Amino acid sequence: MDTYQDELLQQLKKFRTQKIDPTVLQDEEKEQFRMEIFRELGQLGYTGMVLPERYGGAELSFSDYCLALTELAKSSIAYAVTISVSTMVQTLINIYGTEEQKQKYLPPLCRGEEIASFALSESSAGSDAASLKTSAKKVPGGWTLNGSKLWISSAGLSKTYLVMARTGESGPKGITAFLVRDGAPGFSYGKNEKKMGVRISPTREIIFQNCFVSDDQVLGQIGRGFNLAMEALNRGRITVGALAIGLSERALEESLKYSMGRQQFGKPIFEFQGIQFMLANMRTELEASRLMVREAARQFDLKKQDILLASMAKLKSTDTAMQITTDAVQILGGVGYTMEYPVERLMRDAKALQIVEGTNQIQRVVIAKQLEKETQM
Ligand code: COS
């Protein structure tokens, strides 16, 4: 790790322990997202980390961005998830947007004054994303959207929504991406999900009823929306891996601290081999996951979109986070199961990461597809 990365992580550690830790427990209970925390993260340059400086970004590498997300996730994955989803949309605007779109949407997002959401999933199109039904019909000067999207992170908070809608044939080739603004006529919010974890970050339905969007709100080419979404998810899956590393690191830290302090049978429970073997496995699996996520991010920095590695890194790191956080609860025993210690929250949050940005079963589907391609080459 170089000095620059060290400084970045020190600054984030200070921020999260001073600004997030003191209220994280009550905010999770009350489902309270603090916009002032997000804005401050923006002022420090963390809400447009990989975006060009000319649009207000920090122009960091994808690897540094992932390191920062890991550090932030050690306090709560909620703000890190908000940043990672918003950054996914910002990145697509930067790659596929017109100059006008970049000028309009990116600066407030990079400065942390606004948040963006990614809207792909629907009630009957989750893993099978290409079967989505939300429609966009051509009308003079623009498009009319009808339908609804489910499980949208930051919905209600976000000002910009990247919405994948059907403009043509069934399947992946008939989908186009639209940039929809909060407050557009015909755009409304549905139910706010009551979740097992990550409660600071809202997850909500969004609804379109004859919602008009103009031609200049189309992102990229007509019919290429599915490809854009998949490209975003390749990046998103690595960032989910980075969050999983943060959860695992925190769970291991808490387990070590507790096992060295807790006395049973006349000695710290750390001295029992049963506990030592659990801790040794936790550290080993964490390190394996970290290396995979780091390598997946490095490939992106080398401008190589490695679909296989992105999915494998997401799969390995999030399954590992589930195992490590579960073991952490076990090591802390009775108190681990209470809200007095953070490990039960880490365990609930880890579950979300096995599901978002494509379930871990879908990651295996993606991996198998890539294996098939490699074999045919
Ligand atoms: N990266 C880049 N392009 C991809 C891709 C990826 N990971 N996966 C698919 N594509 C492209 C294909 O190359 C193909 O492009 P062309 O038509 O230009 O050749 C197109 O997308 C269609 O691909 P495919 O035929 O494989 O689509 P499927 O309908 O079979 O879907 C899966 C493939 C299952 C992998 C996809 O639907 C998926 O990832 N589902 C999970 C969705 C998800 O992660 N949801 C999370 C909610 S968003 S938080």
Side-chain angles (χ1 to χ4, degrees):
M1 202 169 290
D2 60 30
T3 321
Y4 169 72
Q5 289 171 333
D6 257 347
E7 279 169 17
L8 178 91
L9 298 185
Q10 281 309 318
Q11 185 189 49
L12 262 179
K13 185 174 183 183
K14 193 169 160 213
F15 181 88
R16 69 175 180 82
T17 49
Q18 288 179 357
K19 304 283 168 98
I20 300 179
D21 285 350
T23 55
V24 68
L25 197 59
Q26 75 199 54
D27 290 353
E28 271 291 313
E29 265 187 87
K30 290 189 194 151
E31 302 180 355
Q32 186 180 0
F33 183 92
R34 290 181 191 266
M35 197 60 204
E36 68 273 19
I37 289 184
F38 191 80
R39 281 206 195 93
E40 266 193 73
L41 283 165
Q43 282 155 11
L44 292 170
Y46 293 112
T47 53
M49 281 184 262
V50 289
L51 278 299
E53 281 179 5
R54 68 177 178 284
Y55 301 117
E59 227 166 299
L60 295 186
S61 66
F62 196 74
S63 301
D64 286 349
Y65 165 51
C66 287
L67 282 179
L69 288 178
T70 294
E71 183 59 38
L72 201 52
K74 285 160 90 174
S75 282
S76 161
I77 62 168
Y79 294 97
V81 162
T82 312
I83 290 176
S84 85
V85 172
S86 193
T87 302
M88 221 160 82
V89 176
Q90 287 161 248
T91 303
L92 284 184
I93 296 174
N94 186 44
I95 299 174
Y96 294 101
T98 61
E99 190 52 39
E100 289 74 39
Q101 286 174 328
K102 293 183 203 184
Q103 301 276 0
K104 177 176 174 186
Y105 295 99
L106 291 180
L109 288 167
C110 290
R111 289 195 297 262
E113 292 158 11
E114 290 187 3
I115 300 170
S117 290
F118 181 79
L120 176 66
S121 303
E122 298 180 1
S123 58
S124 58
S127 293
D128 184 9
S131 69
L132 64 85
K133 290 195 176 68
T134 293
S135 67
K137 292 265 175 302
K138 190 73 188 94
V139 292
W143 301 77
T144 304
L145 266 59
N146 277 291
S148 67
K149 296 281 175 183
L150 270 191
W151 300 103
I152 308 308
S153 298
S154 316
L157 294 172
S158 288
K159 289 274 180 272
T160 298
Y161 295 79
L162 184 69
V163 179
M164 261 47 78
R166 187 157 302 286
T167 49
E169 64 188 77
S170 60
K173 288 189 175 23
I175 297 169
T176 301
F178 295 89
L179 291 159
V180 185
R181 293 287 284 175
D182 168 60
F187 174 40
S188 60
Y189 299 103
K191 77 172 161 146
N192 209 345
E193 306 293 349
K194 291 265 168 216
K195 305 197 298 291
M196 176 194 262
V198 209
R199 294 190 191 136
I200 289 175
S201 158
T203 305
R204 221 166 152 181
E205 181 183 18
I206 57 174
I207 302 164
F208 305 98
Q209 288 165 306
N210 294 323
C211 173
F212 175 79
V213 292
S214 58
D215 283 327
D216 59 12
Q217 286 171 273
V218 171
L219 183 69
Q221 290 172 25
I222 306 293
R224 293 295 291 173
F226 188 79
N227 298 73
L228 258 68
M230 290 298 122
E231 196 183 323
L233 286 172
N234 291 332
R235 283 190 182 76
R237 286 166 184 166
I238 302 172
T239 63
V240 168
L243 305 184
I245 304 297
L247 285 183
S248 299
E249 278 183 12
R250 178 72 187 272
L252 179 58
E253 241 171 68
E254 295 292 332
S255 306
L256 282 167
K257 198 163 62 182
Y258 186 83
S259 62
M260 286 173 183
R262 170 77 172 165
Q263 301 264 338
Q264 286 292 276
F265 305 102
K267 56 184 179 183
I269 61 168
F270 178 81
E271 288 180 24
F272 292 101
Q273 209 174 46
I275 299 287
Q276 287 182 352
F277 280 13
M278 280 172 92
L279 291 163
N281 284 343
M282 285 157 93
R283 179 64 204 266
T284 307
E285 289 299 305
L286 165 59
E287 224 42 55
S289 302
R290 195 201 311 278
L291 291 173
M292 286 184 85
V293 171
R294 192 180 285 170
E295 180 56 18
R298 198 178 71 91
Q299 289 302 325
F300 257 92
D301 283 328
L302 295 173
K303 308 275 179 262
K304 290 186 199 145
Q305 180 169 242
D306 194 326
I307 298 171
L308 179 65
L309 194 51
S311 278
M312 291 193 304
K314 195 266 180 182
L315 171 64
K316 174 73 184 168
S317 59
T318 58
D319 278 356
T320 297
M322 195 68 247
Q323 186 62 53
I324 289 181
T325 53
T326 306
D327 286 349
V329 171
Q330 193 68 24
I331 289 172
L332 269 74
V335 294
Y337 200 66
T338 72
M339 289 169 85
E340 204 176 317
Y341 286 81
V343 289
E344 62 82 33
R345 174 169 59 86
L346 301 177
M347 182 179 163
R348 287 186 285 110
D349 287 0
K351 191 69 220 169
L353 299 186
Q354 289 184 305
I355 298 170
V356 297
E357 317 285 65
T359 63
N360 283 5
Q361 285 66 34
I362 282 295
Q363 303 312 322
R364 290 179 174 92
V365 169
V366 173
I367 292 164
K369 276 189 187 220
Q370 292 302 312
L371 290 179
E372 198 180 1
K373 273 191 194 160
E374 280 178 4
T375 315
Q376 284 162 358
M377 270 178 4

